[in-house]
Amino acid sequence: QVQLVESGGGLVQAGGSLRLSCAASGRTFSRYVMGWFRQAPGKEREFVSCISWSGDSTYYAESVKGRFTISRDNAKNTVYLQMNNLKPEDTAVYYCAGNALSFRDSLVAASQGKGYDYWGQGTQVTVSS
């Protein structure tokens, strides 16, 4: 199966920035829609963003729109999440995930809590106020 490993988390002050990376193994990475999710203690896992196979389509949760940017480099089998103007409410464990659906179908599936087959171990992001 595909293996995903996140990195780049850490402690940052409110207003600061972090860039998360997710390195993937597997020959089919370029065909996967990739997404970022996060989960704060005591809360449900929350969708953050996703990106199409080619990188030409992206989608963001309203809470991060305008502050976060998702991107991917298929040659490096890596997806990124640039997080700017971080807020304390962004504190969570961030997970990258992949699926083999079309971008549209992945959005539909994600809205139903489905669609992502492969998950990383998570990286902690803590934003101090």
Side-chain angles (χ1 to χ4, degrees), residues 59-78:
Y59 186 80
Y60 298 91
E62 192 67 30
S63 59
V64 307
K65 191 175 299 182
R67 299 187 298 119
F68 290 11
T69 303
I70 190 171
S71 62
R72 68 190 297 164
D73 186 339
N74 289 340
K76 297 181 179 180
N77 286 351
T78 302

Side-chain angles (χ1 to χ4, degrees), residues 14-94:
S17 298
L18 286 172
R19 189 179 76 159
L20 305 183
S21 298
C22 176
S25 64
R27 298 186 302 274
T28 60
F29 173 80
S30 64
R31 298 184 62 190
Y32 275 69
V33 172
M34 298 296 297
W36 286 96
F37 295 78
R38 65 188 183 186
Q39 187 168 22
K43 295 186 177 181
E44 295 291 317
R45 186 175 61 198
E46 175 188 15
F47 169 81
V48 175
S49 184
C50 62
I51 187 167
S52 63
W53 299 349
S54 64
D56 62 349
S57 297
T58 59
Y59 186 80
Y60 298 91
E62 192 67 30
S63 59
V64 307
K65 191 175 299 182
R67 299 187 298 119
F68 290 11
T69 303
I70 190 171
S71 62
R72 68 190 297 164
D73 186 339
N74 289 340
K76 297 181 179 180
N77 286 351
T78 302
V79 63
Y80 304 95
L81 185 69
Q82 178 67 46
M83 305 185 294
N84 297 326
N85 192 25
L86 284 161
K87 304 175 180 180
E89 51 262 45
D90 295 318
T91 295
V93 176
Y94 283 71

